[in-house]
Amino acid sequence: MKKTLFYIICPFVALIAVTPFLPRPVHKAPNLSGHIVVSQDTIEPEDTSILNFANELAYYFSRHNVQDEGYEMVAAFADGKRLEVKVSPYISALNVGTWKNRQRQGTGVALDSLGRTIVGTFQADTLTTGIRLDSTGTYRGDFVRLAAQGHGAYQHFNGSYFEGHWESDLRHGFGLEMQNPLGSEPRLRVGEWLSNRFWGERMRYTTERIYGIDIARYQHEQGRRRFPIDWSKMRITFLGKKSHKNVKGDADYPVSFVFIKSTEGVTIRNRYYASDYHQARKHGIRTGAYHFWRTKLGGAQQARFFLRNTLFGKGDLPPVLDVEPSDAQIRAAGGPEAMFRQIRTWLRMVEQHTGVKPILYINQRFVNMYLPVAPDIKRDYRVWIARYGEYKPDVRLAFWQLCPDGRVAGIRPEVDINVFNGYQTQFDEFLEQETIK
């Protein structure tokens, strides 16, 4: 008798426990075409998560539109919608406990192998959807054999939220996550997960995006061969083969911007820089210059050399510092802190001369291993990142160098192809606010 009462009472206790965590009504994300404005007036009093994440959402919508994967899910989240799993408040005593020769149907209670309580809907004795509590939060969504599988959402007790695809209790597939780490700013991540690890956003390449290139002596010389550039034919025709690219139709994009190597260290100059600079401007292509960093040399020396040998015209893109040292070179320079001291000197001197903040060009490994040592640089300067994988870098960036082996009509050798982080409206704002006056 006591055992029977235990099985009858426990489900009702579980239901009472999950009541504060029950989600909002089911919502199919709207097909929105404009920016989302998050205001206090549109948020119900008990839902403060949207306000906490307002900056992250505003940044997302400033860099995406309805063509991007997951846009509608983020729009729904910004609209205050959450996935709901409806569970009847009534549980039949016949659906409590363990039986032989009988199948559970409708609302029921189950315990998984870890002892977590699941209140959900059963069909032919199989749990299909439900709500599950654990020590850190609440999962609601689809189940297969008592494991989260299919579409589901997890609400962490600290306010973090994930909604997307699950497999065998792991986030696996497309999803949206709002992180709310203790002592840090909230952060939005939208993209692909593989076995609980976030890989990033898969960008869709369309004619609406803003593409550009960066060039150096290599685009004019290879060994003894010489190649002129035909600026009148300039079109991007291939996005490289280093990784899969989700291209809508055929790649055929105008070159909207070009960064040209000007100097390296304190002795090397690109002999083609001046002519390429004038030709790019003549053909209406926004133009910028970059300096290749040498760790053994001081920041002030390299800044003076770059400024002496580089052209800065009205409307030009911000100057760029290209930092690509090996671990051994960083150690030889005195370590990351010493290197960043010299980099700061270069950035300050070039900004004082040009009137605009330079951009830092780095690769993904540098971002992961060394940029955390210089949080001020990460905070104060725009990043142009080289990453040749399928997924967009998970940082706030200005430009993404997505391949080193692209093809451009008018240029014989392979070319680095870049994409601006945003669309035309954001690019116009960037040109208005960040270029040389």
Side-chain angles (χ1 to χ4, degrees):
M1 182 65 180
K2 291 182 179 180
K3 187 173 184 182
T4 302
L5 288 173
F6 173 81
Y7 282 124
I8 292 174
I9 293 171
C10 279
F12 295 98
V13 174
L15 283 174
I16 293 171
V18 302
T19 298
F21 307 104
L22 288 176
R24 294 166 178 268
V26 175
H27 175 78
K28 291 184 179 179
N31 188 1
L32 303 177
S33 58
H35 295 300
I36 303 300
V37 178
V38 181
S39 69
Q40 179 75 51
D41 297 334
T42 63
I43 301 171
E44 295 185 19
E46 69 273 16
D47 185 5
T48 59
S49 61
I50 295 295
L51 290 176
N52 294 338
F53 296 126
N55 290 336
E56 285 290 289
L57 290 167
Y59 178 78
Y60 177 88
F61 289 116
S62 74
R63 292 293 179 266
H64 295 80
N65 72 15
V66 293
Q67 297 190 66
D68 296 318
E69 183 183 20
Y71 181 91
E72 292 183 356
M73 183 184 289
V74 182
F77 180 88
D79 200 29
K81 311 304 179 183
R82 301 293 183 273
L83 175 68
E84 181 188 67
V85 173
K86 294 182 178 179
V87 177
S88 172
Y90 172 77
I91 301 179
S92 168
L94 297 177
N95 282 343
V96 180
T98 304
W99 311 268
K100 291 181 180 180
N101 303 319
R102 182 175 179 85
Q103 295 182 334
R104 283 172 289 186
Q105 189 70 23
T107 303
V109 177
L111 295 177
D112 65 11
S113 61
L114 298 178
R116 296 174 294 188
T117 301
I118 304 170
V119 180
T121 300
F122 288 80
Q123 293 181 3
D125 212 34
T126 300
L127 177 67
T128 57
T129 60
I131 300 173
R132 183 182 68 195
L133 278 73
D134 60 34
S135 61
T136 60
T138 306
Y139 170 83
R140 55 187 178 272
D142 298 333
F143 284 88
V144 173
R145 291 186 293 274
L146 302 186
Q149 186 146 327
H151 190 79
Y154 189 86
Q155 179 75 52
H156 198 284
F157 292 146
N158 71 2
S160 298
Y161 178 84
F162 172 86
E163 183 176 337
H165 191 78
W166 298 71
E167 285 191 18
S168 302
D169 264 345
L170 301 176
R171 293 170 292 179
H172 192 89
F174 184 84
L176 168 156
E177 182 184 50
M178 271 294 190
Q179 295 181 322
N180 194 23
L182 184 65
S184 300
E185 291 296 318
R187 186 172 177 227
L188 172 67
R189 299 200 296 186
V190 179
E192 298 287 332
W193 268 260
L194 297 177
S195 298
N196 243 16
R197 177 185 173 190
F198 181 66
W199 283 77
E201 175 186 348
R202 275 195 175 102
M203 184 178 286
R204 191 179 189 203
Y205 298 96
T206 65
T207 56
E208 286 76 20
R209 293 199 178 276
I210 310 300
Y211 302 91
I213 61 175
D214 59 276
I215 59 175
R217 194 177 75 174
Y218 175 82
Q219 276 66 46
H220 292 274
E221 296 181 9
Q222 288 189 8
R224 295 183 178 181
R225 293 181 295 172
R226 300 293 183 268
F227 306 104
I229 291 179
D230 188 341
W231 291 87
S232 65
K233 295 181 179 179
M234 197 75 70
R235 300 281 296 187
I236 296 171
T237 59
F238 181 61
L239 298 184
K241 56 187 177 183
K242 290 284 186 181
S243 66
H244 171 73
K245 303 290 193 302
N246 182 11
V247 179
K248 182 181 179 182
D250 296 324
D252 183 20
Y253 313 124
V255 175
S256 298
F257 60 89
V258 57
F259 285 98
I260 308 168
K261 182 177 180 179
S262 172
T263 54
E264 178 177 338
V266 296
T267 57
I268 299 173
R269 294 180 295 173
N270 175 13
R271 69 184 70 175
Y272 300 98
Y273 165 72
S275 61
D276 284 344
Y277 172 85
H278 290 300
Q279 284 296 315
R281 285 179 60 95
K282 178 182 175 180
H283 286 83
I285 301 173
R286 290 289 185 156
T287 307
Y290 72 90
H291 172 82
F292 190 90
W293 180 257
R294 288 296 183 187
T295 54
K296 291 184 178 181
L297 302 170
Q301 294 173 280
Q302 296 189 65
R304 285 192 289 268
F305 184 68
F306 172 70
L307 294 171
R308 280 199 308 269
N309 294 284
T310 305
L311 302 168
F312 303 102
K314 183 178 180 180
D316 282 351
L317 300 173
V320 174
L321 181 59
D322 181 348
V323 181
E324 305 180 49
S326 66
D327 295 343
Q329 289 171 330
I330 293 174
R331 287 194 296 270
E337 292 83 358
M339 175 187 65
F340 278 119
R341 282 196 296 272
Q342 297 301 324
I343 287 175
R344 289 186 186 93
T345 298
W346 191 99
L347 295 171
R348 283 196 299 267
M349 290 179 63
V350 172
E351 181 177 354
Q352 289 171 0
H353 182 87
T354 63
V356 295
K357 280 186 176 295
I359 294 173
L360 191 65
Y361 172 93
I362 48 183
N363 60 35
Q364 185 70 58
R365 188 171 183 275
F366 190 94
V367 168
N368 297 341
M369 290 192 62
Y370 297 112
L371 201 56
V373 177
D376 57 316
I377 292 178
K378 184 178 181 180
R379 180 191 65 235
D380 297 336
Y381 292 91
R382 294 178 180 267
V383 169
W384 173 15
I385 192 170
R387 180 177 178 179
Y388 305 142
E390 181 178 357
Y391 300 100
K392 180 180 177 181
D394 186 29
V395 292
R396 291 194 177 188
L397 68 159
F399 299 97
W400 174 22
Q401 188 183 90
L402 56 96
C403 79
D405 56 343
R407 291 291 182 183
V408 176
I411 302 179
R412 285 282 300 280
E414 294 177 334
V415 186
D416 297 336
I417 307 297
N418 303 272
V419 62
F420 175 74
N421 186 24
Y423 288 91
Q424 189 64 54
T425 299
Q426 293 76 39
F427 190 61
D428 291 342
E429 292 173 355
F430 176 80
L431 296 178
E432 174 66 25
Q433 300 171 7
E434 302 296 332
T435 52
I436 294 175
K437 301 298 187 284

